[in-house]
Amino acid sequence: MEGFWSGVGVDLHLEPDAADGRRAGLERALRDAVRDGRLAPGTRLPATRRLASELGISRGTAKAAYDQLVAEGYLTARQGSGTQVAALPTVDTEAPGA
């Protein structure tokens, strides 16, 4: 797997852990990029075929990673419209009613 991927305008440094596997490494890299703000809400991600080709992984691995992140709420997907970064809820620092 390549060390960097810049298909969406940012470099995602992927550090695959042999114990975790490629899918888990991809999930972690995308999850961290969303949390850190490197992938802004609404950013359209490449199709799984393109991502897989660029990273040297199988399309099934890329699709499984996207599916997991959709289930966790980090991404949204609509058939025919692609996959995008979801808007994460903001965490208020002040307690409600304070």
Side-chain angles (χ1 to χ4, degrees):
M1 183 171 1
E2 306 224 356
F4 291 93
W5 172 65
S6 60
V8 294
V10 297
D11 288 334
L12 299 176
H13 185 65
L14 301 179
E15 297 180 22
D17 185 347
D20 288 342
R22 292 180 178 199
R23 188 190 84 209
L26 176 57
E27 288 172 12
R28 185 174 37 258
L30 289 171
R31 191 181 294 114
D32 290 347
V34 172
R35 285 181 184 158
D36 296 346
R38 289 180 285 141
L39 285 176
T43 300
R44 186 172 175 156
L45 298 179
T48 55
R49 287 179 193 199
R50 181 171 161 220
L51 178 65
S53 175
E54 288 187 19
L55 294 178
I57 60 176
S58 74
R59 180 175 177 239
T61 298
K63 182 168 178 0
Y66 276 12
D67 289 346
Q68 178 61 36
L69 294 173
V70 167
E72 292 177 14
Y74 289 96
L75 305 178
T76 60
R78 294 179 61 182
Q79 190 171 8
S81 296
T83 303
Q84 296 181 337
V85 176
L88 298 179
T90 59
V91 178
D92 293 331
T93 55
E94 188 175 316

